[in-house]
Amino acid sequence: MRSVSVIKRPKPQLLLLLMAFCGLVTQAQENSPYSRYGWGNLVPSTPIATRGMGGIGTGYVDYDERYDLKQIYPRSQAINFTNPASYSRLRITSFDLGFEVENQVLREQNNIEKYKASFANISYVHLGIPLSRKHNFAMIFGLRPISRINYKVESYARELNPVTGNSIDSTLTTYEGTGGSYQAYAGLGKGFGNFSVGVNFGYYFGTKDFATRKNFLNDTVAYYKGNYQTKANFGGIFLQTGVQYRAKLSKDLRLVLGATAAFKRNYSAKKDLIRETFEYDGAGGTYTRDSVYRENDIDGTVTFPGSISGGFTLEKQDKWLLGADYTTTSWDDFRLYDAKDSVATNWKIRVGGQFIPNAMGSNYWGRVTYRLGFNYGPDYIRYNKQELDQYAVTAGFGFPIRPNRFSNQYTNLNLGLEFGRRGNNQTLLKENLFRVSLGVTLSDLWFVKRKYD
């Protein structure tokens, strides 16, 4: 009988789900004065599957030995974009979507009042495709935020005559900023026996809009309101490389060593300088009364630093995993139009692990993955040249979804919980945060050719 080849293609429902999430608009109410520096607050840079383990990732690979046994696919595979070398072990096409909700509490030193805010963001969207299971070769496509800028601070003061020192009038000064940065990229991973290499490459871009607005408070004299504003944007190609070495210590015990490097890069930038008087409109926005000075599209560069990391995981298949990472980033090299900022080289350690009570048992809660971890290291931002301590304790869960017995679709839900703090009782501002992250991994046997006799 003649052989017939059938190629299974992606389900349209997954494409609709991607479009729905990409169209999600969140009204962020984040207000972090620290995001004024550098290119803002750095967002978590690890998959949600590992956030419950302190955010480890350099030596992590979501891989099951059974994937290579006659194409047995026992579960979905999460994409570890932290180290592109891990892509080489991708055996099943996977779509990863991450989403997070964060609650922030900001407190000023010697002030009992607190500012609270809650906001939601998409963490990442990834699609991973194994190009050759036999030759350990796979690729991914991804989009994720790297940093966020969002702050608004109001300050009341009495202005003084610079000549006489006498009081002039009361003023309200508003410091406000928005923006952030993003990466859209592809990644390749290739395995050579127990050794794997990988690379992420793509387009890195961002915007930064920060303004200082001053308003004199006077009932009898009408003053013009002043706006001193700078808008900047950048874009260019970035590159990150990674390696992993996998050693099988026994039948079901595996050690993975990993390292990554991202290179220092200069990105083309443009900047607008705005000096104007303004008024508020009825909707709370602003409009220009008179442009005092304006210069648009000033060419320049933004320099982002290089970063290196090293880490490991030790795993007993279907039972437990322990791991640790160390990362350092040379933020002393950061420049915005050749100007330094209040940032400095920093480091971070991440430690964590997971445990599965009974991966093959009939009890559902025995098949759930339970995770714990922490991370610690100084923030890259230096407020008034003061080092800001930063730490977080984490917990997480991996919930397997029973697949349809007549399909090759596998789904896993990952939940991450994180409590963190930036600053201490000696810093001017202290931030506490509680973050809930949800990751959905949908895996299927796409593009697999089957033959029927």
Side-chain angles (χ1 to χ4, degrees):
M1 185 177 292
R2 186 169 57 90
S3 294
V4 179
S5 296
V6 178
I7 298 179
K8 190 172 184 182
R9 300 193 183 277
K11 301 288 193 228
Q13 292 88 341
L14 296 186
L15 300 179
L16 292 175
L17 181 64
L18 173 60
M19 292 173 63
F21 272 94
C22 287
L24 179 65
V25 177
T26 59
Q27 297 298 321
Q29 298 178 6
E30 180 180 13
N31 188 3
S32 176
Y34 288 130
S35 67
R36 163 64 177 81
Y37 306 103
W39 213 272
N41 288 339
L42 302 180
V43 304
S45 59
T46 57
I48 292 172
T50 70
R51 288 191 189 178
M53 297 185 282
I56 62 173
T58 308
Y60 177 79
V61 56
D62 187 6
Y63 174 70
D64 192 311
E65 301 287 349
R66 291 168 293 180
Y67 283 121
D68 293 329
L69 299 177
K70 299 180 181 179
Q71 286 195 338
I72 297 174
Y73 298 89
R75 56 182 175 81
S76 62
Q77 274 189 289
I79 298 171
N80 177 24
F81 54 87
T82 305
N83 189 338
S86 66
Y87 305 155
S88 68
R89 298 296 172 182
L90 192 64
R91 292 294 183 266
I92 185 169
T93 301
S94 292
F95 172 74
D96 256 11
L97 177 67
F99 182 78
E100 63 189 45
V101 178
E102 188 169 317
N103 179 263
Q104 175 195 78
V105 178
L106 182 66
R107 176 179 288 172
E108 187 179 6
Q109 187 179 3
N110 301 323
N111 191 339
I112 61 173
E113 294 184 1
K114 296 181 291 186
Y115 174 83
K116 297 182 179 180
S118 297
F119 48 95
N121 290 287
I122 292 178
S123 301
Y124 52 77
V125 179
H126 286 103
L127 175 65
I129 304 171
L131 301 178
S132 174
R133 297 170 178 85
K134 180 179 178 181
H135 297 97
N136 297 320
F137 188 36
M139 72 180 303
I140 68 104
F141 299 95
L143 173 66
R144 68 187 185 96
I146 302 300
S147 64
R148 294 193 303 266
I149 301 171
N150 205 325
Y151 67 90
K152 184 176 182 180
V153 179
E154 294 181 341
S155 176
Y156 292 90
R158 292 290 296 181
E159 298 296 324
L160 301 179
N161 186 312
V163 178
T164 65
N166 296 328
S167 176
I168 301 175
D169 220 329
S170 296
T171 59
L172 169 62
T173 304
T174 302
Y175 306 91
E176 189 171 6
T178 59
S181 61
Y182 307 84
Q183 288 181 352
Y185 55 96
L188 293 171
K190 179 71 173 72
F192 304 90
N194 290 330
F195 187 72
S196 299
V197 297
V199 59
N200 285 329
F201 58 94
Y203 192 67
Y204 186 23
F205 60 99
T207 62
K208 183 174 184 177
D209 182 352
F210 52 103
T212 301
R213 298 185 175 96
K214 181 162 290 191
N215 179 19
F216 279 86
L217 306 176
N218 192 293
D219 295 333
T220 58
V221 180
Y223 292 99
Y224 286 152
K225 302 175 181 65
N227 178 36
Y228 306 83
Q229 188 172 4
T230 301
K231 299 179 180 180
N233 64 81
F234 77 93
I237 303 300
F238 82 96
L239 182 68
Q240 179 201 20
T241 60
V243 295
Q244 283 187 340
Y245 178 77
R246 185 169 62 104
K248 198 167 184 179
L249 305 182
S250 65
K251 180 180 178 180
D252 56 358
L253 191 64
R254 179 181 67 195
L255 174 67
V256 179
L257 304 176
T260 67
F263 304 100
K264 173 183 173 181
R265 289 279 297 171
N266 291 323
Y267 295 94
S268 298
K270 288 186 178 296
K271 180 172 66 172
D272 296 343
L273 295 179
I274 302 170
R275 306 293 184 260
E276 64 184 8
T277 58
F278 74 97
E279 284 292 345
Y280 291 103
D281 59 26
T286 64
Y287 64 91
T288 302
R289 287 184 60 100
D290 185 26
S291 181
V292 179
Y293 172 80
R294 185 168 189 138
E295 187 174 0
N296 295 332
D297 295 332
I298 304 171
D299 291 324
T301 59
V302 178
T303 303
F304 277 87
S307 177
I308 58 173
S309 70
F312 76 93
T313 57
L314 181 65
E315 180 180 12
K316 185 173 183 179
Q317 187 69 55
D318 291 332
K319 201 63 181 176
W320 53 262
L321 178 145
L322 296 173
D325 284 4
Y326 175 84
T327 305
T328 182
T329 305
S330 303
W331 280 102
D332 285 326
D333 295 333
F334 177 81
R335 296 290 187 276
L336 176 58
Y337 278 71
D338 297 324
K340 295 189 67 173
D341 204 345
S342 298
V343 298
T345 295
N346 72 327
W347 55 268
K348 178 167 285 191
I349 57 171
R350 300 178 173 90
V351 179
Q354 67 181 28
F355 175 70
I356 308 174
N358 189 357
M360 301 301 170
S362 58
N363 183 280
Y364 177 79
W365 294 103
R367 300 196 306 274
V368 171
T369 304
Y370 301 87
R371 299 168 175 136
L372 285 173
F374 73 91
N375 56 64
Y376 174 78
D379 190 21
Y380 85 104
I381 292 170
R382 297 290 190 269
Y383 182 75
N384 287 337
K385 299 183 179 180
Q386 185 178 30
E387 185 174 282
L388 302 173
D389 293 331
Q390 193 172 36
Y391 74 87
V393 292
T394 66
F397 305 89
F399 298 105
I401 306 300
R402 184 183 295 275
N404 187 314
R405 60 187 299 179
F406 302 110
S407 77
N408 293 305
Q409 296 178 342
Y410 306 87
T411 304
N412 200 71
L413 299 179
N414 290 298
L415 179 66
L417 306 173
E418 180 179 354
F419 173 78
R421 174 174 292 178
R422 174 160 59 174
N424 51 48
N425 293 331
Q426 283 69 51
T427 57
L428 179 62
L429 295 175
K430 182 168 62 177
E431 285 184 356
N432 290 345
L433 69 87
F434 179 69
R435 182 184 295 119
V436 179
S437 303
L438 178 65
V440 182
T441 303
L442 306 175
S443 298
D444 201 348
L445 291 177
W446 297 353
F447 313 112
V448 174
K449 182 181 290 187
R450 295 189 175 92
K451 294 184 178 181
Y452 301 91
D453 294 325

